[in-house]
């Protein structure tokens, strides 16, 4: 496994895990239902996990770094918009 794949996946996790928490907080603000918050968190976490595995194994380099940049930008926008 190439080093750049591991670095990109770690960066994805560093930006993705806080993004999952932000999504859960937004779901709580909108619905006030714990079931919706739990489902939102589970779906976001599983999507992040699957994306990380795909990045580690088969995605090409350019696409991997674009995904990392998009997730980091999404986190930045959501943190500033809150």
């Amino acid at each position: 496994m190439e080093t750049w794949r591991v670095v990109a996946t770690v960066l994805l996790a560093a930006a993705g895990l806080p993004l999952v928490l932000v999504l859960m907080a937004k779901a709580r603000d909108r619905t006030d239902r714990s079931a919706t918050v739990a489902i939102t968190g589970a779906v976001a976490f599983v999507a992040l996990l699957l994306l990380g595995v795909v990045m580690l194994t088969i995605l090409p380099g350019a696409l991997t770094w674009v995904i990392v940049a998009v997730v980091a930008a999404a986190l930045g926008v959501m943190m500033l918009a809150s």
Side-chain angles (χ1 to χ4, degrees):
M1 191 171 305
E2 295 93 355
T3 304
W4 65 267
R5 288 187 181 274
V6 174
V7 170
T9 305
V10 167
L11 290 174
L12 176 76
L17 291 176
L19 184 62
V20 170
L21 296 176
V22 169
L23 290 173
M24 290 173 69
K26 288 196 176 288
R28 185 194 63 220
D29 289 343
R30 289 189 178 141
T31 63
D32 265 339
R33 298 176 66 192
S34 59
T36 305
V37 174
I39 290 171
T40 301
V43 168
F45 183 74
V46 168
L48 182 67
L49 188 67
L50 290 175
L51 188 59
V53 169
V54 170
M55 284 174 55
L56 277 174
T57 56
I58 60 172
L59 280 183
L63 185 58
T64 297
W65 289 110
V66 166
I67 291 172
V68 170
V70 166
V71 169
L75 176 65
V77 167
M78 286 189 157
M79 294 296 283
L80 290 173
S82 300

